[in-house]
């Protein structure tokens, strides 16, 4: 597989990508930037940024929304932490994880360092998503640790921009197979609410360094991706060169695990349709798929990260405070009395019927008892699912909503305009918009 992927990575032309693929890559850039903005001050992000400054000083790749720059690896690591920390970043059903928070920061950082053209940048992003999703989909034992396969997307993105040849790329992928994250299932840990989360920022570092190692002559075991306990090659290679998996990306409006979103949507729809208030709810039952049941699902989670993996608490916040408090969810809602009380009324039930929709859909059937009467709602697709054809206007509205919490309207529009012109002007105008003094908070300097 390393050689098959390397061949494709080196031969995909920059200037022959379909219009819809270029448009989707641009959408992904805007969405990741919005996630990075609201995730910038999260405790895990500030810790990652401090570590990056210690280890990757010097360089011209910007740390967005700050006045700092680092080497490309450091900037990509810091920006990836910001993009992924609040669990608001894009994802893909086939891979069951989040490619964008790794691929986009790598592409923007290296493009900034080498002065890549607009076509080179966008092709590298498309390539990074493709390799990430394919190896995520082909993972034999689904770990639900995105970093286990985004390290290969980081390699693909970095190798394409840095001009590695086919042999070097094969070795880079092989090096990453051993040096990158290889973690057990996220849901096996009782403390899934830590800053480690899905190891996406660290996958960026290992992928970029694996690329640098291969470029310098370091070798890997090129059959690493073919070992039978790691990836299913038939799944990973199926249709390579005939389709673009970036077209199947989904986007999120709630900063909680995607597995909770259909449940939140179902509850909100029922409350609106039946004119039910939170204090009238006596009980909630959620029939959903096995993976959602396996989340920590604490009624009173101890940390923001733990809250992101709690279906009952997500429902409690949405019902009592409004779903806008999930966009993004902040530490202010932790231990909120009304939210916790409602979360304690939620029963999460495994449904084999819901299992049958996976992996392309993650549905939930929500039943609510209010005023002594049970009502229910089945939600199959959440907002932003690839099947729901999320419009560019929807993504722009999401960005504006997130950015309005921090930035003034001219700064917001400047960023949107710069992203919209990436396919024409490349990364330089975008960097200027994202490091303009107007977007810097004094506390961030």
């Amino acid at each position: 597989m390393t050689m098959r992927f390397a061949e494709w990575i080196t031969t995909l032309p920059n200037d022959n990508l379909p219009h819809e693929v270029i448009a989707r890559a641009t959408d992904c850039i805007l969405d990741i930037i919005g996630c990075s903005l609201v995730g910038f001050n999260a405790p895990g992000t500030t810790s990652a940024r401090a570590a990056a400054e210690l280890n990757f000083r010097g360089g011209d790749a910007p740390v967005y929304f700050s006045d700092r720059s680092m080497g490309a690896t450091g900037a990509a690591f810091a920006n990836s932490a910001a993009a992924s920390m609040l669990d608001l970043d894009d994802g893909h059903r086939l891979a069951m994880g989040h490619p964008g928070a790794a691929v986009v920061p790598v592409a923007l950082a290296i493009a900034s360092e080498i002065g890549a053209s607009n076509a080179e940048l966008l092709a590298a992003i498309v390539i990074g998503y493709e390799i990430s999703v394919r190896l995520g989909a082909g993972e034999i034992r689904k770990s639900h640790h995105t970093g286990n396969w985004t390290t290969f997307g980081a390699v693909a993105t970095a190798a394409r921009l840095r001009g590695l040849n086919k042999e070097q790329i094969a070795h880079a992928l092989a090096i990453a197979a051993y040096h990158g994250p290889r973690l057990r299932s996220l849901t096996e840990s009782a403390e899934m609410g830590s800053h480690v989360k899905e190891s996406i920022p660290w996958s960026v570092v290992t992928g970029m360094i694996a690329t640098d190692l291969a470029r310098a002559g370091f070798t890997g075991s090129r059959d690493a991706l073919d070992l039978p306990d790691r990836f299913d090659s038939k799944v990973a290679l199926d249709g390579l060169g005939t389709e673009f998996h970036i077209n199947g990306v989904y986007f999120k409006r709630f900063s909680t695990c995607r597995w909770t979103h259909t449940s939140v949507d179902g509850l909100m729809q029922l409350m609106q349709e039946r004119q039910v208030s939170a204090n009238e709810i006596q009980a909630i039952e959620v029939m959903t798929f096995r993976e959602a049941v396996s989340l920590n699902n604490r009624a009173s989670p101890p940390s923001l990260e733990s809250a992101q993996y709690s279906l009952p608490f997500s429902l409690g916040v949405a019902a009592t405070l409004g779903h806008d408090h999930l966009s993004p969810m902040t530490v202010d809602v932790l231990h909120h009395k009304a939210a916790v009380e409602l979360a304690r009324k939620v029963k999460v039930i495994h449904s084999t019927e819901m299992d049958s929709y996976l992996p392309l859909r993650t549905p939930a059937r929500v039943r609510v008892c209010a005023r002594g009467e049970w009502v229910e709602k089945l939600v199959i697709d959440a907002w932003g699912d690839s099947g729901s054809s999320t419009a560019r206007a929807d993504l722009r509205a999401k960005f504006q909503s997130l950015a309005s919490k921090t930035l003034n309207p001219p700064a917001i529009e400047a960023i949107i305009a710069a992203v919209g012109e990436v396919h024409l002007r490349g990364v330089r105008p975008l960097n200027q918009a994202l490091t303009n003094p107007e977007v810097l908070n004094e506390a961030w300097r």
Side-chain angles (χ1 to χ4, degrees), residues 12 83 91 106 149 162 200 220 252 275 277 317 365 380 408 444:
L12 182 73
V106 171
W149 43 265
R162 294 202 183 280
I200 296 172
K252 300 173 69 175
Q275 293 297 295
S277 64
V317 171
R365 187 184 302 276
I380 297 175
N408 60 42
W444 300 352

Side-chain angles (χ1 to χ4, degrees), residues 361-427:
R361 289 170 159 174
T362 52
R365 187 184 302 276
V366 182
R367 299 184 70 237
V368 175
C369 181
R371 308 170 193 144
E373 177 186 5
W374 283 95
V375 293
E376 69 176 54
K377 173 74 68 173
L378 171 64
V379 179
I380 297 175
D381 293 316
W383 183 96
D385 273 344
S386 60
S388 65
S389 300
T390 309
R392 176 162 291 184
D394 296 326
L395 297 175
R396 181 174 294 190
K398 173 187 170 180
F399 178 82
Q400 289 171 325
S401 175
L402 295 174
S404 66
K405 304 176 190 304
T406 306
L407 307 182
N408 60 42
I412 294 172
E413 291 307 313
I415 293 170
I416 292 174
V419 172
E421 295 181 347
V422 160
H423 69 293
L424 300 173
R425 302 176 63 194
V427 75

